[in-house]
Amino acid sequence: MREEQEFIDRVHARVDALRGVAAQGVEDALTPVGTGLQARLERDIRVTERSGLLAALNAVDGSLCFGRVDRSDGATHHIGRIGIREDDADRTPLLIDWRAPVARPFYLATGHTPMGLRRRRHIASEGRTVTELHDEILDLADGERTGFEDPNGDSVLLAALNSARTGRMGDIVRTIQAEQDTIIRAPHRGVLVVEGGPGTGKTAVALHRAAFLLYEQRELLAKRAVLIVGPNPAFLRYIEEVLPALGETGVLLATQAELFPGVHATGTSDSPRAAAVKGGEEMAEALATAVRDRQQLPEPGAPLIIQHDDGDLILDWEIAYEARQGARDTLLPHNLARPHFVFRVIDALTAQLAERIGADPYGGPNFLGPDDIALLGRAIAASKEVHAAADELWPPLTPEAFLADYLAAPVYLPAEDSDAIRRPRPDHPLDAPWTPADVPLLDEAAELLGVDDSARLAAEEAVRQERIAYAQGVLELSRGSESYEFEDEESEVLAAHDIIDAERMAERHEEDDHRGAAERAAADRTWAFGHIIVDEAQDLSPMAWRLLMRRSPTRSLTLVGDPAQTSEAAGVGSWENILRPYVGDRFEHVTLKVNYRTPAEIMELAAGVVRERDPEYVLPVSVRSTGERPWTRDAGGDLAGTVAKAAAELTPLPGQGRLAVIAPRELHEEIAAALDGVTAGEAPDLTRPLVLLAPRQAKGLEFDHVLVVEPARFGSSDLYVALTRATQRLGVVHREQLPPALR
């Protein structure tokens, strides 16, 4: 153990040195450089690069090294969360990144297939101190023994599985199993579907796959970023420390409700029926038709009369129809096609006015020449009345205003669907109580409407030209002063105008965008991510998939889920149904079959819930048995009191795990009143010993102990989720009759 401790000390000493270099790099980059032009041109340290390195080093401070492999050829490699090299001329590897090919035998080697290894060592540490060593002998002919041999080879995995939960998911980098490693390192660059029942580690596998892809495709993904979509905010808080612990920080974590920049959909007004209607693929056509409806025409025989100095202009049905058809023929989104409509209207009104003014009363040619007609056109184009009339027929629209109006009077849907999603129009679109199901509709509306940013681009170009003009003036002054100073002697000193022109100088003074790719992606609806990972993918609606596929034009995705846990009414459920519209059958489907989290006793109970609706469903096989069978308790007339008493029995001691009470949302007020330190409706803090959750808030999470309340009110999928969150003990409290599977 002393040898390993000395090695760990070397690793951390090297990390401390790297951290100092990174911190100094950030400080240097943030410190203003001298005013000399040459100094500015030589400035080459990017704040984002150095701060990213510093963040990664800080994130992986603990347990940097967790393994060692001794090869048959005598070589030894230490495996860790990040790769570290010695500070020597050859940059000798000190610690091998777990994602490197040379580290793969650490996860895959067996006594039957040793992959060139004699021994595999697991290193446990607390901070910088080695606490345990576990050796696995892979070459049985090797007689050397260390005294740290692990007879069954599973103690490290079982210790991790049995350890108390902290309210935060930890990485599994020390205990990745062979089937998980195969998926994490899968070379497939398209759509990879990872299916697995409760406790199979599919979320952890997906996160480690993200880390692996960031390692393998560093240059691409550093520019394009990785998006991870989770089912709810509690889940994202639960997993948020996994990738930083693996040295990766360039990832955007978001729920569906956060995928439209500028909108955070916290509304809860949608009924399950409303969410299903909003998520249905029929909504895409309904919204497209509603946008076309906003491109209107005057009533035949009732034209718009536009006052003009040279006489009223008549904008009738024929003029508007031809202008509308011409604009639609461009196939541009609504707002981008609008200028084409306006230009055609202006041309038609100009011709109308020219014909009236220049007409020869005796039938001769028009008195106006091309220049005269151009002047009339410019006057009409500048008319506020003309633009007001155009706005009435083809209004500029924002996604928020359009959708708020549409939901106040939904059309092109069956009457019962329209009634389900209808809600009052807000006083202002930005005040709308947007729900998560609205976000894909906002994105669809944005796609249909487009953004006419010509005015913004023109303003930016004007500012740019001002900078260039200013820079040109500075260079002219520089040229004048230098010629005066050195007019009588030759000089080898380069002047500013010798090495830079005005345009480049202006660009040097523009503000740098120091945001990382993930931060920029969060603010840009049209961002194309390098890779997208979706957890609980079976629950996303067809409209949500349209949103995500726009974010992934290369179709590079990892989808994680379990059709048996589909709980959202709009969820597609079947992988074929989800992917057929986008990639056909060109996706890879793998299944995790081992349950590492849920004890066999609990899975035996949960199996009955699934097999009631799908007798053929194959449950994952649990590797653990605790000897603790789930129990049920009839609350009689005091549900909250019974829950409080049961929770007191199950609540672990401080530092010894977490308890979740999973109950229907409508019972939270009643139950919270009986539990100490719990408030109904608050965002759950998973680091507390006791949390109160609704079934869908518990998706993807795990706890040492779980108390399920009133299971008869859950749908079968929600009940299956609730029953399979525990790693140790499960209890059920009820006053209504139990579902058949639990009796």
Side-chain angles (χ1 to χ4, degrees), residues 306-432:
I306 303 171
Q307 293 183 348
H308 190 270
D309 293 341
D310 295 312
D312 291 344
L313 303 174
I314 310 301
L315 178 50
D316 57 18
W317 186 92
E318 288 78 8
I319 291 176
Y321 177 80
E322 291 181 3
R324 186 176 74 173
Q325 288 304 113
R328 285 180 174 178
D329 288 345
T330 64
L331 302 180
L332 292 170
H334 174 89
N335 289 329
L336 298 183
R338 182 179 175 278
H340 295 269
F341 173 80
V342 175
F343 293 153
R344 284 171 168 80
V345 167
I346 290 172
D347 286 346
L349 295 179
T350 300
Q352 181 187 113
L353 185 58
E355 183 178 355
R356 182 195 308 161
I357 294 175
D360 182 350
Y362 303 103
N366 195 298
F367 293 132
L368 300 180
D371 292 342
D372 299 318
I373 294 174
L375 285 173
L376 292 177
R378 284 196 288 271
I380 291 175
S383 168
K384 294 180 179 179
E385 290 78 9
V386 170
H387 285 280
D391 288 349
E392 183 178 340
L393 299 178
W394 194 300
L397 299 171
T398 66
E400 294 88 344
F402 167 75
L403 187 60
D405 287 342
Y406 178 84
L407 293 176
V411 289
Y412 309 113
L413 294 171
E416 59 274 18
D417 290 348
S418 294
D419 291 341
I421 66 173
R422 183 179 287 108
R423 69 179 181 220
R425 182 183 286 103
D427 294 334
H428 191 283
L430 296 180
D431 297 330

Side-chain angles (χ1 to χ4, degrees), residues 512-576:
D512 290 332
D513 187 349
H514 295 309
R515 295 176 301 169
E519 291 178 279
R520 287 181 282 121
D524 185 352
R525 190 194 70 83
T526 63
W527 190 273
F529 287 92
H531 191 77
I532 296 179
I533 292 175
V534 185
D535 206 298
E536 303 295 347
Q538 76 282 345
D539 275 337
L540 292 190
S541 69
M543 291 301 293
W545 282 113
R546 289 172 66 88
L547 179 156
L548 286 176
M549 290 300 177
R550 292 186 195 108
R551 308 295 198 272
S552 180
T554 60
R555 301 294 187 262
S556 178
L557 303 101
T558 300
L559 311 182
V560 180
D562 178 11
Q565 297 183 57
T566 304
S567 55
E568 297 294 339
V572 180
S574 160
W575 304 121
E576 290 75 13

